[in-house]
mmCIF file with all atom_site columns, all heavy atoms in Angstrom:
data_model
loop_
_atom_site.group_PDB
_atom_site.id
_atom_site.type_symbol
_atom_site.label_atom_id
_atom_site.label_alt_id
_atom_site.label_comp_id
_atom_site.label_asym_id
_atom_site.label_entity_id
_atom_site.label_seq_id
_atom_site.pdbx_PDB_ins_code
_atom_site.Cartn_x
_atom_site.Cartn_y
_atom_site.Cartn_z
_atom_site.occupancy
_atom_site.B_iso_or_equiv
_atom_site.pdbx_formal_charge
_atom_site.auth_seq_id
_atom_site.auth_comp_id
_atom_site.auth_asym_id
_atom_site.auth_atom_id
_atom_site.pdbx_PDB_model_num
ATOM 1   N N   . LEU Q 1 1  ? -0.759  2.766   3.872   1.00 0.00 ? 200 LEU Q N   1
ATOM 2   C CA  . LEU Q 1 1  ? -0.705  1.488   3.174   1.00 0.00 ? 200 LEU Q CA  1
ATOM 3   C C   . LEU Q 1 1  ? -0.850  0.323   4.146   1.00 0.00 ? 200 LEU Q C   1
ATOM 4   O O   . LEU Q 1 1  ? -1.608  -0.619  3.876   1.00 0.00 ? 200 LEU Q O   1
ATOM 5   C CB  . LEU Q 1 1  ? 0.593   1.366   2.377   1.00 0.00 ? 200 LEU Q CB  1
ATOM 6   C CG  . LEU Q 1 1  ? 0.732   0.113   1.528   1.00 0.00 ? 200 LEU Q CG  1
ATOM 7   C CD1 . LEU Q 1 1  ? -0.435  -0.046  0.557   1.00 0.00 ? 200 LEU Q CD1 1
ATOM 8   C CD2 . LEU Q 1 1  ? 2.054   0.138   0.773   1.00 0.00 ? 200 LEU Q CD2 1
ATOM 9   N N   . CYS Q 1 2  ? -0.188  0.388   5.276   1.00 0.00 ? 201 CYS Q N   1
ATOM 10  C CA  . CYS Q 1 2  ? -0.325  -0.677  6.288   1.00 0.00 ? 201 CYS Q CA  1
ATOM 11  C C   . CYS Q 1 2  ? -1.776  -0.807  6.744   1.00 0.00 ? 201 CYS Q C   1
ATOM 12  O O   . CYS Q 1 2  ? -2.299  -1.925  6.877   1.00 0.00 ? 201 CYS Q O   1
ATOM 13  C CB  . CYS Q 1 2  ? 0.593   -0.400  7.472   1.00 0.00 ? 201 CYS Q CB  1
ATOM 14  S SG  . CYS Q 1 2  ? 2.347   -0.532  7.075   1.00 0.00 ? 201 CYS Q SG  1
ATOM 15  N N   . ARG Q 1 3  ? -2.447  0.316   6.963   1.00 0.00 ? 202 ARG Q N   1
ATOM 16  C CA  . ARG Q 1 3  ? -3.862  0.314   7.368   1.00 0.00 ? 202 ARG Q CA  1
ATOM 17  C C   . ARG Q 1 3  ? -4.733  -0.317  6.280   1.00 0.00 ? 202 ARG Q C   1
ATOM 18  O O   . ARG Q 1 3  ? -5.570  -1.190  6.540   1.00 0.00 ? 202 ARG Q O   1
ATOM 19  C CB  . ARG Q 1 3  ? -4.322  1.749   7.673   1.00 0.00 ? 202 ARG Q CB  1
ATOM 20  C CG  . ARG Q 1 3  ? -5.816  1.857   7.965   1.00 0.00 ? 202 ARG Q CG  1
ATOM 21  C CD  . ARG Q 1 3  ? -6.263  3.302   8.168   1.00 0.00 ? 202 ARG Q CD  1
ATOM 22  N NE  . ARG Q 1 3  ? -5.843  4.238   7.127   1.00 0.00 ? 202 ARG Q NE  1
ATOM 23  C CZ  . ARG Q 1 3  ? -6.409  4.352   5.926   1.00 0.00 ? 202 ARG Q CZ  1
ATOM 24  N NH1 . ARG Q 1 3  ? -7.406  3.546   5.569   1.00 0.00 ? 202 ARG Q NH1 1
ATOM 25  N NH2 . ARG Q 1 3  ? -5.979  5.258   5.051   1.00 0.00 ? 202 ARG Q NH2 1
ATOM 26  N N   . GLU Q 1 4  ? -4.530  0.119   5.046   1.00 0.00 ? 203 GLU Q N   1
ATOM 27  C CA  . GLU Q 1 4  ? -5.340  -0.388  3.930   1.00 0.00 ? 203 GLU Q CA  1
ATOM 28  C C   . GLU Q 1 4  ? -5.122  -1.889  3.702   1.00 0.00 ? 203 GLU Q C   1
ATOM 29  O O   . GLU Q 1 4  ? -6.072  -2.624  3.446   1.00 0.00 ? 203 GLU Q O   1
ATOM 30  C CB  . GLU Q 1 4  ? -5.017  0.381   2.644   1.00 0.00 ? 203 GLU Q CB  1
ATOM 31  C CG  . GLU Q 1 4  ? -5.538  1.804   2.622   1.00 0.00 ? 203 GLU Q CG  1
ATOM 32  C CD  . GLU Q 1 4  ? -7.024  1.897   2.343   1.00 0.00 ? 203 GLU Q CD  1
ATOM 33  O OE1 . GLU Q 1 4  ? -7.667  0.890   1.979   1.00 0.00 ? 203 GLU Q OE1 1
ATOM 34  O OE2 . GLU Q 1 4  ? -7.565  3.016   2.510   1.00 0.00 ? 203 GLU Q OE2 1
ATOM 35  N N   . ILE Q 1 5  ? -3.894  -2.340  3.801   1.00 0.00 ? 204 ILE Q N   1
ATOM 36  C CA  . ILE Q 1 5  ? -3.591  -3.763  3.574   1.00 0.00 ? 204 ILE Q CA  1
ATOM 37  C C   . ILE Q 1 5  ? -4.218  -4.623  4.670   1.00 0.00 ? 204 ILE Q C   1
ATOM 38  O O   . ILE Q 1 5  ? -4.730  -5.709  4.403   1.00 0.00 ? 204 ILE Q O   1
ATOM 39  C CB  . ILE Q 1 5  ? -2.068  -3.975  3.463   1.00 0.00 ? 204 ILE Q CB  1
ATOM 40  C CG1 . ILE Q 1 5  ? -1.526  -3.253  2.225   1.00 0.00 ? 204 ILE Q CG1 1
ATOM 41  C CG2 . ILE Q 1 5  ? -1.706  -5.447  3.446   1.00 0.00 ? 204 ILE Q CG2 1
ATOM 42  C CD1 . ILE Q 1 5  ? -2.232  -3.554  0.923   1.00 0.00 ? 204 ILE Q CD1 1
ATOM 43  N N   . ALA Q 1 6  ? -4.224  -4.126  5.905   1.00 0.00 ? 205 ALA Q N   1
ATOM 44  C CA  . ALA Q 1 6  ? -4.896  -4.844  6.994   1.00 0.00 ? 205 ALA Q CA  1
ATOM 45  C C   . ALA Q 1 6  ? -6.392  -4.955  6.697   1.00 0.00 ? 205 ALA Q C   1
ATOM 46  O O   . ALA Q 1 6  ? -6.998  -6.020  6.878   1.00 0.00 ? 205 ALA Q O   1
ATOM 47  C CB  . ALA Q 1 6  ? -4.650  -4.148  8.325   1.00 0.00 ? 205 ALA Q CB  1
ATOM 48  N N   . GLU Q 1 7  ? -7.000  -3.866  6.208   1.00 0.00 ? 206 GLU Q N   1
ATOM 49  C CA  . GLU Q 1 7  ? -8.440  -3.859  5.916   1.00 0.00 ? 206 GLU Q CA  1
ATOM 50  C C   . GLU Q 1 7  ? -8.793  -4.708  4.709   1.00 0.00 ? 206 GLU Q C   1
ATOM 51  O O   . GLU Q 1 7  ? -9.788  -5.439  4.725   1.00 0.00 ? 206 GLU Q O   1
ATOM 52  C CB  . GLU Q 1 7  ? -8.916  -2.418  5.651   1.00 0.00 ? 206 GLU Q CB  1
ATOM 53  C CG  . GLU Q 1 7  ? -8.865  -1.504  6.853   1.00 0.00 ? 206 GLU Q CG  1
ATOM 54  C CD  . GLU Q 1 7  ? -9.111  -0.039  6.494   1.00 0.00 ? 206 GLU Q CD  1
ATOM 55  O OE1 . GLU Q 1 7  ? -9.430  0.266   5.316   1.00 0.00 ? 206 GLU Q OE1 1
ATOM 56  O OE2 . GLU Q 1 7  ? -8.960  0.810   7.388   1.00 0.00 ? 206 GLU Q OE2 1
ATOM 57  N N   . GLU Q 1 8  ? -8.009  -4.589  3.638   1.00 0.00 ? 207 GLU Q N   1
ATOM 58  C CA  . GLU Q 1 8  ? -8.360  -5.217  2.361   1.00 0.00 ? 207 GLU Q CA  1
ATOM 59  C C   . GLU Q 1 8  ? -7.886  -6.664  2.215   1.00 0.00 ? 207 GLU Q C   1
ATOM 60  O O   . GLU Q 1 8  ? -8.455  -7.422  1.445   1.00 0.00 ? 207 GLU Q O   1
ATOM 61  C CB  . GLU Q 1 8  ? -7.755  -4.417  1.195   1.00 0.00 ? 207 GLU Q CB  1
ATOM 62  C CG  . GLU Q 1 8  ? -8.344  -3.049  1.016   1.00 0.00 ? 207 GLU Q CG  1
ATOM 63  C CD  . GLU Q 1 8  ? -7.737  -2.304  -0.170  1.00 0.00 ? 207 GLU Q CD  1
ATOM 64  O OE1 . GLU Q 1 8  ? -6.746  -2.788  -0.768  1.00 0.00 ? 207 GLU Q OE1 1
ATOM 65  O OE2 . GLU Q 1 8  ? -8.262  -1.233  -0.494  1.00 0.00 ? 207 GLU Q OE2 1
ATOM 66  N N   . MET Q 1 9  ? -6.807  -7.024  2.943   1.00 0.00 ? 208 MET Q N   1
ATOM 67  C CA  . MET Q 1 9  ? -6.209  -8.344  2.714   1.00 0.00 ? 208 MET Q CA  1
ATOM 68  C C   . MET Q 1 9  ? -5.901  -9.113  3.992   1.00 0.00 ? 208 MET Q C   1
ATOM 69  O O   . MET Q 1 9  ? -5.261  -10.160 3.938   1.00 0.00 ? 208 MET Q O   1
ATOM 70  C CB  . MET Q 1 9  ? -4.930  -8.205  1.882   1.00 0.00 ? 208 MET Q CB  1
ATOM 71  C CG  . MET Q 1 9  ? -5.175  -7.558  0.538   1.00 0.00 ? 208 MET Q CG  1
ATOM 72  S SD  . MET Q 1 9  ? -3.814  -7.606  -0.669  1.00 0.00 ? 208 MET Q SD  1
ATOM 73  C CE  . MET Q 1 9  ? -2.350  -7.406  0.277   1.00 0.00 ? 208 MET Q CE  1
ATOM 74  N N   . ASN Q 1 10 ? -6.334  -8.607  5.137   1.00 0.00 ? 209 ASN Q N   1
ATOM 75  C CA  . ASN Q 1 10 ? -6.087  -9.268  6.423   1.00 0.00 ? 209 ASN Q CA  1
ATOM 76  C C   . ASN Q 1 10 ? -4.614  -9.594  6.637   1.00 0.00 ? 209 ASN Q C   1
ATOM 77  O O   . ASN Q 1 10 ? -4.270  -10.675 7.142   1.00 0.00 ? 209 ASN Q O   1
ATOM 78  C CB  . ASN Q 1 10 ? -6.931  -10.538 6.559   1.00 0.00 ? 209 ASN Q CB  1
ATOM 79  C CG  . ASN Q 1 10 ? -8.381  -10.218 6.820   1.00 0.00 ? 209 ASN Q CG  1
ATOM 80  O OD1 . ASN Q 1 10 ? -8.698  -9.347  7.611   1.00 0.00 ? 209 ASN Q OD1 1
ATOM 81  N ND2 . ASN Q 1 10 ? -9.269  -10.923 6.126   1.00 0.00 ? 209 ASN Q ND2 1
ATOM 82  N N   . VAL Q 1 11 ? -3.737  -8.688  6.234   1.00 0.00 ? 210 VAL Q N   1
ATOM 83  C CA  . VAL Q 1 11 ? -2.288  -8.869  6.397   1.00 0.00 ? 210 VAL Q CA  1
ATOM 84  C C   . VAL Q 1 11 ? -1.770  -7.710  7.235   1.00 0.00 ? 210 VAL Q C   1
ATOM 85  O O   . VAL Q 1 11 ? -2.029  -6.546  6.926   1.00 0.00 ? 210 VAL Q O   1
ATOM 86  C CB  . VAL Q 1 11 ? -1.567  -8.898  5.033   1.00 0.00 ? 210 VAL Q CB  1
ATOM 87  C CG1 . VAL Q 1 11 ? -0.054  -8.862  5.208   1.00 0.00 ? 210 VAL Q CG1 1
ATOM 88  C CG2 . VAL Q 1 11 ? -1.983  -10.125 4.238   1.00 0.00 ? 210 VAL Q CG2 1
ATOM 89  N N   . MET Q 1 12 ? -1.043  -8.034  8.280   1.00 0.00 ? 211 MET Q N   1
ATOM 90  C CA  . MET Q 1 12 ? -0.450  -7.006  9.130   1.00 0.00 ? 211 MET Q CA  1
ATOM 91  C C   . MET Q 1 12 ? 0.992   -6.792  8.692   1.00 0.00 ? 211 MET Q C   1
ATOM 92  O O   . MET Q 1 12 ? 1.805   -7.717  8.760   1.00 0.00 ? 211 MET Q O   1
ATOM 93  C CB  . MET Q 1 12 ? -0.493  -7.427  10.603  1.00 0.00 ? 211 MET Q CB  1
ATOM 94  C CG  . MET Q 1 12 ? -1.904  -7.691  11.126  1.00 0.00 ? 211 MET Q CG  1
ATOM 95  S SD  . MET Q 1 12 ? -3.053  -6.295  10.899  1.00 0.00 ? 211 MET Q SD  1
ATOM 96  C CE  . MET Q 1 12 ? -2.315  -5.071  11.934  1.00 0.00 ? 211 MET Q CE  1
ATOM 97  N N   . ILE Q 1 13 ? 1.273   -5.599  8.194   1.00 0.00 ? 212 ILE Q N   1
ATOM 98  C CA  . ILE Q 1 13 ? 2.637   -5.216  7.863   1.00 0.00 ? 212 ILE Q CA  1
ATOM 99  C C   . ILE Q 1 13 ? 2.941   -3.907  8.587   1.00 0.00 ? 212 ILE Q C   1
ATOM 100 O O   . ILE Q 1 13 ? 2.025   -3.177  8.969   1.00 0.00 ? 212 ILE Q O   1
ATOM 101 C CB  . ILE Q 1 13 ? 2.868   -5.080  6.336   1.00 0.00 ? 212 ILE Q CB  1
ATOM 102 C CG1 . ILE Q 1 13 ? 1.874   -4.101  5.711   1.00 0.00 ? 212 ILE Q CG1 1
ATOM 103 C CG2 . ILE Q 1 13 ? 2.812   -6.427  5.653   1.00 0.00 ? 212 ILE Q CG2 1
ATOM 104 C CD1 . ILE Q 1 13 ? 2.103   -3.844  4.235   1.00 0.00 ? 212 ILE Q CD1 1
ATOM 105 N N   . GLN Q 1 14 ? 4.207   -3.635  8.743   1.00 0.00 ? 213 GLN Q N   1
ATOM 106 C CA  . GLN Q 1 14 ? 4.670   -2.422  9.411   1.00 0.00 ? 213 GLN Q CA  1
ATOM 107 C C   . GLN Q 1 14 ? 5.395   -1.545  8.393   1.00 0.00 ? 213 GLN Q C   1
ATOM 108 O O   . GLN Q 1 14 ? 5.934   -2.054  7.404   1.00 0.00 ? 213 GLN Q O   1
ATOM 109 C CB  . GLN Q 1 14 ? 5.623   -2.777  10.562  1.00 0.00 ? 213 GLN Q CB  1
ATOM 110 C CG  . GLN Q 1 14 ? 5.021   -3.679  11.617  1.00 0.00 ? 213 GLN Q CG  1
ATOM 111 C CD  . GLN Q 1 14 ? 3.806   -3.045  12.285  1.00 0.00 ? 213 GLN Q CD  1
ATOM 112 O OE1 . GLN Q 1 14 ? 3.815   -1.866  12.616  1.00 0.00 ? 213 GLN Q OE1 1
ATOM 113 N NE2 . GLN Q 1 14 ? 2.754   -3.832  12.452  1.00 0.00 ? 213 GLN Q NE2 1
ATOM 114 N N   . PRO Q 1 15 ? 5.429   -0.229  8.631   1.00 0.00 ? 214 PRO Q N   1
ATOM 115 C CA  . PRO Q 1 15 ? 6.152   0.645   7.698   1.00 0.00 ? 214 PRO Q CA  1
ATOM 116 C C   . PRO Q 1 15 ? 7.588   0.185   7.437   1.00 0.00 ? 214 PRO Q C   1
ATOM 117 O O   . PRO Q 1 15 ? 8.086   0.313   6.312   1.00 0.00 ? 214 PRO Q O   1
ATOM 118 C CB  . PRO Q 1 15 ? 6.110   2.006   8.391   1.00 0.00 ? 214 PRO Q CB  1
ATOM 119 C CG  . PRO Q 1 15 ? 4.833   1.969   9.173   1.00 0.00 ? 214 PRO Q CG  1
ATOM 120 C CD  . PRO Q 1 15 ? 4.738   0.547   9.672   1.00 0.00 ? 214 PRO Q CD  1
ATOM 121 N N   . GLY Q 1 16 ? 8.244   -0.400  8.428   1.00 0.00 ? 215 GLY Q N   1
ATOM 122 C CA  . GLY Q 1 16 ? 9.605   -0.892  8.249   1.00 0.00 ? 215 GLY Q CA  1
ATOM 123 C C   . GLY Q 1 16 ? 9.717   -2.087  7.315   1.00 0.00 ? 215 GLY Q C   1
ATOM 124 O O   . GLY Q 1 16 ? 10.812  -2.431  6.871   1.00 0.00 ? 215 GLY Q O   1
ATOM 125 N N   . ASP Q 1 17 ? 8.571   -2.737  7.016   1.00 0.00 ? 216 ASP Q N   1
ATOM 126 C CA  . ASP Q 1 17 ? 8.549   -3.871  6.086   1.00 0.00 ? 216 ASP Q CA  1
ATOM 127 C C   . ASP Q 1 17 ? 8.532   -3.411  4.629   1.00 0.00 ? 216 ASP Q C   1
ATOM 128 O O   . ASP Q 1 17 ? 8.666   -4.228  3.721   1.00 0.00 ? 216 ASP Q O   1
ATOM 129 C CB  . ASP Q 1 17 ? 7.295   -4.739  6.300   1.00 0.00 ? 216 ASP Q CB  1
ATOM 130 C CG  . ASP Q 1 17 ? 7.213   -5.363  7.669   1.00 0.00 ? 216 ASP Q CG  1
ATOM 131 O OD1 . ASP Q 1 17 ? 8.277   -5.619  8.273   1.00 0.00 ? 216 ASP Q OD1 1
ATOM 132 O OD2 . ASP Q 1 17 ? 6.078   -5.590  8.156   1.00 0.00 ? 216 ASP Q OD2 1
ATOM 133 N N   . LEU Q 1 18 ? 8.328   -2.112  4.424   1.00 0.00 ? 217 LEU Q N   1
ATOM 134 C CA  . LEU Q 1 18 ? 8.108   -1.568  3.089   1.00 0.00 ? 217 LEU Q CA  1
ATOM 135 C C   . LEU Q 1 18 ? 9.348   -0.868  2.550   1.00 0.00 ? 217 LEU Q C   1
ATOM 136 O O   . LEU Q 1 18 ? 10.044  -0.175  3.282   1.00 0.00 ? 217 LEU Q O   1
ATOM 137 C CB  . LEU Q 1 18 ? 6.946   -0.576  3.115   1.00 0.00 ? 217 LEU Q CB  1
ATOM 138 C CG  . LEU Q 1 18 ? 5.608   -1.122  3.607   1.00 0.00 ? 217 LEU Q CG  1
ATOM 139 C CD1 . LEU Q 1 18 ? 4.613   0.000   3.794   1.00 0.00 ? 217 LEU Q CD1 1
ATOM 140 C CD2 . LEU Q 1 18 ? 5.070   -2.167  2.639   1.00 0.00 ? 217 LEU Q CD2 1
ATOM 141 N N   . GLU Q 1 19 ? 9.586   -1.044  1.258   1.00 0.00 ? 218 GLU Q N   1
ATOM 142 C CA  . GLU Q 1 19 ? 10.653  -0.330  0.561   1.00 0.00 ? 218 GLU Q CA  1
ATOM 143 C C   . GLU Q 1 19 ? 10.014  0.506   -0.543  1.00 0.00 ? 218 GLU Q C   1
ATOM 144 O O   . GLU Q 1 19 ? 9.275   -0.033  -1.389  1.00 0.00 ? 218 GLU Q O   1
ATOM 145 C CB  . GLU Q 1 19 ? 11.635  -1.325  -0.043  1.00 0.00 ? 218 GLU Q CB  1
ATOM 146 C CG  . GLU Q 1 19 ? 12.723  -0.681  -0.865  1.00 0.00 ? 218 GLU Q CG  1
ATOM 147 C CD  . GLU Q 1 19 ? 13.585  -1.690  -1.619  1.00 0.00 ? 218 GLU Q CD  1
ATOM 148 O OE1 . GLU Q 1 19 ? 13.446  -2.906  -1.401  1.00 0.00 ? 218 GLU Q OE1 1
ATOM 149 O OE2 . GLU Q 1 19 ? 14.388  -1.225  -2.438  1.00 0.00 ? 218 GLU Q OE2 1
ATOM 150 N N   . PHE Q 1 20 ? 10.272  1.811   -0.546  1.00 0.00 ? 219 PHE Q N   1
ATOM 151 C CA  . PHE Q 1 20 ? 9.720   2.662   -1.594  1.00 0.00 ? 219 PHE Q CA  1
ATOM 152 C C   . PHE Q 1 20 ? 10.228  2.179   -2.943  1.00 0.00 ? 219 PHE Q C   1
ATOM 153 O O   . PHE Q 1 20 ? 11.412  1.921   -3.118  1.00 0.00 ? 219 PHE Q O   1
ATOM 154 C CB  . PHE Q 1 20 ? 10.123  4.126   -1.367  1.00 0.00 ? 219 PHE Q CB  1
ATOM 155 C CG  . PHE Q 1 20 ? 9.577   5.046   -2.429  1.00 0.00 ? 219 PHE Q CG  1
ATOM 156 C CD1 . PHE Q 1 20 ? 8.257   5.456   -2.386  1.00 0.00 ? 219 PHE Q CD1 1
ATOM 157 C CD2 . PHE Q 1 20 ? 10.378  5.468   -3.481  1.00 0.00 ? 219 PHE Q CD2 1
ATOM 158 C CE1 . PHE Q 1 20 ? 7.739   6.288   -3.377  1.00 0.00 ? 219 PHE Q CE1 1
ATOM 159 C CE2 . PHE Q 1 20 ? 9.871   6.301   -4.469  1.00 0.00 ? 219 PHE Q CE2 1
ATOM 160 C CZ  . PHE Q 1 20 ? 8.553   6.711   -4.415  1.00 0.00 ? 219 PHE Q CZ  1
ATOM 161 N N   . TYR Q 1 21 ? 9.319   2.066   -3.908  1.00 0.00 ? 220 TYR Q N   1
ATOM 162 C CA  . TYR Q 1 21 ? 9.675   1.609   -5.252  1.00 0.00 ? 220 TYR Q CA  1
ATOM 163 C C   . TYR Q 1 21 ? 9.598   2.752   -6.265  1.00 0.00 ? 220 TYR Q C   1
ATOM 164 O O   . TYR Q 1 21 ? 10.549  3.038   -6.965  1.00 0.00 ? 220 TYR Q O   1
ATOM 165 C CB  . TYR Q 1 21 ? 8.779   0.438   -5.661  1.00 0.00 ? 220 TYR Q CB  1
ATOM 166 C CG  . TYR Q 1 21 ? 8.971   -0.018  -7.081  1.00 0.00 ? 220 TYR Q CG  1
ATOM 167 C CD1 . TYR Q 1 21 ? 10.180  -0.580  -7.489  1.00 0.00 ? 220 TYR Q CD1 1
ATOM 168 C CD2 . TYR Q 1 21 ? 7.961   0.115   -8.020  1.00 0.00 ? 220 TYR Q CD2 1
ATOM 169 C CE1 . TYR Q 1 21 ? 10.368  -0.996  -8.805  1.00 0.00 ? 220 TYR Q CE1 1
ATOM 170 C CE2 . TYR Q 1 21 ? 8.136   -0.310  -9.333  1.00 0.00 ? 220 TYR Q CE2 1
ATOM 171 C CZ  . TYR Q 1 21 ? 9.328   -0.855  -9.717  1.00 0.00 ? 220 TYR Q CZ  1
ATOM 172 O OH  . TYR Q 1 21 ? 9.515   -1.265  -11.021 1.00 0.00 ? 220 TYR Q OH  1
ATOM 173 N N   . THR Q 1 22 ? 8.438   3.400   -6.343  1.00 0.00 ? 221 THR Q N   1
ATOM 174 C CA  . THR Q 1 22 ? 8.260   4.481   -7.314  1.00 0.00 ? 221 THR Q CA  1
ATOM 175 C C   . THR Q 1 22 ? 7.008   5.281   -6.969  1.00 0.00 ? 221 THR Q C   1
ATOM 176 O O   . THR Q 1 22 ? 6.216   4.878   -6.111  1.00 0.00 ? 221 THR Q O   1
ATOM 177 C CB  . THR Q 1 22 ? 8.171   3.926   -8.755  1.00 0.00 ? 221 THR Q CB  1
ATOM 178 O OG1 . THR Q 1 22 ? 8.326   4.998   -9.687  1.00 0.00 ? 221 THR Q OG1 1
ATOM 179 C CG2 . THR Q 1 22 ? 6.843   3.215   -9.019  1.00 0.00 ? 221 THR Q CG2 1
ATOM 180 N N   . HIS Q 1 23 ? 6.844   6.378   -7.661  1.00 0.00 ? 222 HIS Q N   1
ATOM 181 C CA  . HIS Q 1 23 ? 5.638   7.201   -7.552  1.00 0.00 ? 222 HIS Q CA  1
ATOM 182 C C   . HIS Q 1 23 ? 5.018   7.260   -8.942  1.00 0.00 ? 222 HIS Q C   1
ATOM 183 O O   . HIS Q 1 23 ? 5.726   7.442   -9.934  1.00 0.00 ? 222 HIS Q O   1
ATOM 184 C CB  . HIS Q 1 23 ? 5.992   8.618   -7.078  1.00 0.00 ? 222 HIS Q CB  1
ATOM 185 C CG  . HIS Q 1 23 ? 4.804   9.508   -7.011  1.00 0.00 ? 222 HIS Q CG  1
ATOM 186 N ND1 . HIS Q 1 23 ? 4.014   9.591   -5.884  1.00 0.00 ? 222 HIS Q ND1 1
ATOM 187 C CD2 . HIS Q 1 23 ? 4.240   10.322  -7.927  1.00 0.00 ? 222 HIS Q CD2 1
ATOM 188 C CE1 . HIS Q 1 23 ? 3.030   10.442  -6.120  1.00 0.00 ? 222 HIS Q CE1 1
ATOM 189 N NE2 . HIS Q 1 23 ? 3.137   10.895  -7.352  1.00 0.00 ? 222 HIS Q NE2 1
ATOM 190 N N   . ILE Q 1 24 ? 3.699   7.078   -9.004  1.00 0.00 ? 223 ILE Q N   1
ATOM 191 C CA  . ILE Q 1 24 ? 3.013   7.202   -10.288 1.00 0.00 ? 223 ILE Q CA  1
ATOM 192 C C   . ILE Q 1 24 ? 1.894   8.227   -10.181 1.00 0.00 ? 223 ILE Q C   1
ATOM 193 O O   . ILE Q 1 24 ? 1.316   8.431   -9.103  1.00 0.00 ? 223 ILE Q O   1
ATOM 194 C CB  . ILE Q 1 24 ? 2.444   5.853   -10.799 1.00 0.00 ? 223 ILE Q CB  1
ATOM 195 C CG1 . ILE Q 1 24 ? 1.444   5.246   -9.809  1.00 0.00 ? 223 ILE Q CG1 1
ATOM 196 C CG2 . ILE Q 1 24 ? 3.579   4.873   -11.096 1.00 0.00 ? 223 ILE Q CG2 1
ATOM 197 C CD1 . ILE Q 1 24 ? 0.714   4.024   -10.359 1.00 0.00 ? 223 ILE Q CD1 1
ATOM 198 N N   . SER Q 1 25 ? 1.601   8.858   -11.296 1.00 0.00 ? 224 SER Q N   1
ATOM 199 C CA  . SER Q 1 25 ? 0.469   9.774   -11.440 1.00 0.00 ? 224 SER Q CA  1
ATOM 200 C C   . SER Q 1 25 ? -0.364  9.248   -12.592 1.00 0.00 ? 224 SER Q C   1
ATOM 201 O O   . SER Q 1 25 ? 0.164   9.020   -13.680 1.00 0.00 ? 224 SER Q O   1
ATOM 202 C CB  . SER Q 1 25 ? 0.942   11.189  -11.782 1.00 0.00 ? 224 SER Q CB  1
ATOM 203 O OG  . SER Q 1 25 ? 1.728   11.712  -10.756 1.00 0.00 ? 224 SER Q OG  1
ATOM 204 N N   . ALA Q 1 26 ? -1.647  9.066   -12.343 1.00 0.00 ? 225 ALA Q N   1
ATOM 205 C CA  . ALA Q 1 26 ? -2.516  8.524   -13.384 1.00 0.00 ? 225 ALA Q CA  1
ATOM 206 C C   . ALA Q 1 26 ? -3.946  8.973   -13.134 1.00 0.00 ? 225 ALA Q C   1
ATOM 207 O O   . ALA Q 1 26 ? -4.301  9.353   -12.018 1.00 0.00 ? 225 ALA Q O   1
ATOM 208 C CB  . ALA Q 1 26 ? -2.448  6.993   -13.384 1.00 0.00 ? 225 ALA Q CB  1
ATOM 209 N N   . ALA Q 1 27 ? -4.760  8.898   -14.172 1.00 0.00 ? 226 ALA Q N   1
ATOM 210 C CA  . ALA Q 1 27 ? -6.189  9.131   -14.002 1.00 0.00 ? 226 ALA Q CA  1
ATOM 211 C C   . ALA Q 1 27 ? -6.706  8.141   -12.970 1.00 0.00 ? 226 ALA Q C   1
ATOM 212 O O   . ALA Q 1 27 ? -6.351  6.967   -13.001 1.00 0.00 ? 226 ALA Q O   1
ATOM 213 C CB  . ALA Q 1 27 ? -6.920  8.947   -15.334 1.00 0.00 ? 226 ALA Q CB  1
ATOM 214 N N   . ALA Q 1 28 ? -7.502  8.628   -12.034 1.00 0.00 ? 227 ALA Q N   1
ATOM 215 C CA  . ALA Q 1 28 ? -8.016  7.790   -10.947 1.00 0.00 ? 227 ALA Q CA  1
ATOM 216 C C   . ALA Q 1 28 ? -9.225  7.002   -11.441 1.00 0.00 ? 227 ALA Q C   1
ATOM 217 O O   . ALA Q 1 28 ? -10.304 7.571   -11.644 1.00 0.00 ? 227 ALA Q O   1
ATOM 218 C CB  . ALA Q 1 28 ? -8.364  8.642   -9.737  1.00 0.00 ? 227 ALA Q CB  1
ATOM 219 N N   . TYR Q 1 29 ? -9.034  5.699   -11.627 1.00 0.00 ? 228 TYR Q N   1
ATOM 220 C CA  . TYR Q 1 29 ? -10.094 4.834   -12.140 1.00 0.00 ? 228 TYR Q CA  1
ATOM 221 C C   . TYR Q 1 29 ? -11.275 4.804   -11.171 1.00 0.00 ? 228 TYR Q C   1
ATOM 222 O O   . TYR Q 1 29 ? -11.104 4.646   -9.971  1.00 0.00 ? 228 TYR Q O   1
ATOM 223 C CB  . TYR Q 1 29 ? -9.568  3.407   -12.346 1.00 0.00 ? 228 TYR Q CB  1
ATOM 224 C CG  . TYR Q 1 29 ? -10.605 2.502   -12.941 1.00 0.00 ? 228 TYR Q CG  1
ATOM 225 C CD1 . TYR Q 1 29 ? -10.750 2.404   -14.307 1.00 0.00 ? 228 TYR Q CD1 1
ATOM 226 C CD2 . TYR Q 1 29 ? -11.477 1.784   -12.138 1.00 0.00 ? 228 TYR Q CD2 1
ATOM 227 C CE1 . TYR Q 1 29 ? -11.720 1.602   -14.873 1.00 0.00 ? 228 TYR Q CE1 1
ATOM 228 C CE2 . TYR Q 1 29 ? -12.452 0.974   -12.686 1.00 0.00 ? 228 TYR Q CE2 1
ATOM 229 C CZ  . TYR Q 1 29 ? -12.570 0.890   -14.054 1.00 0.00 ? 228 TYR Q CZ  1
ATOM 230 O OH  . TYR Q 1 29 ? -13.544 0.100   -14.606 1.00 0.00 ? 228 TYR Q OH  1
ATOM 231 N N   . GLY Q 1 30 ? -12.486 4.981   -11.705 1.00 0.00 ? 229 GLY Q N   1
ATOM 232 C CA  . GLY Q 1 30 ? -13.690 4.868   -10.900 1.00 0.00 ? 229 GLY Q CA  1
ATOM 233 C C   . GLY Q 1 30 ? -13.981 6.076   -10.034 1.00 0.00 ? 229 GLY Q C   1
ATOM 234 O O   . GLY Q 1 30 ? -14.887 6.033   -9.203  1.00 0.00 ? 229 GLY Q O   1
#
C-alpha cells in the first residue's frame, strides 16, 4: 500500500502510519 500510494498519489507514508480497518472480498472491477 505504501508503494502504491507513492506511485498513484505522490504521498510518502510508512507502514507504521497505517491502522488496519477491515478486509473485503469482492468481484475485481475491470
Side-chain angles (χ1 to χ4, degrees):
L200 184 56
C201 292
R202 174 184 50 78
E203 288 283 350
I204 295 308
E206 293 170 6
E207 293 181 352
M208 301 191 323
N209 286 317
V210 171
M211 301 305 295
I212 55 176
Q213 302 300 317
D216 298 331
L217 302 171
E218 176 188 352
F219 180 79
Y220 174 65
T221 194
H222 177 88
I223 59 172
S224 298
Y228 183 88

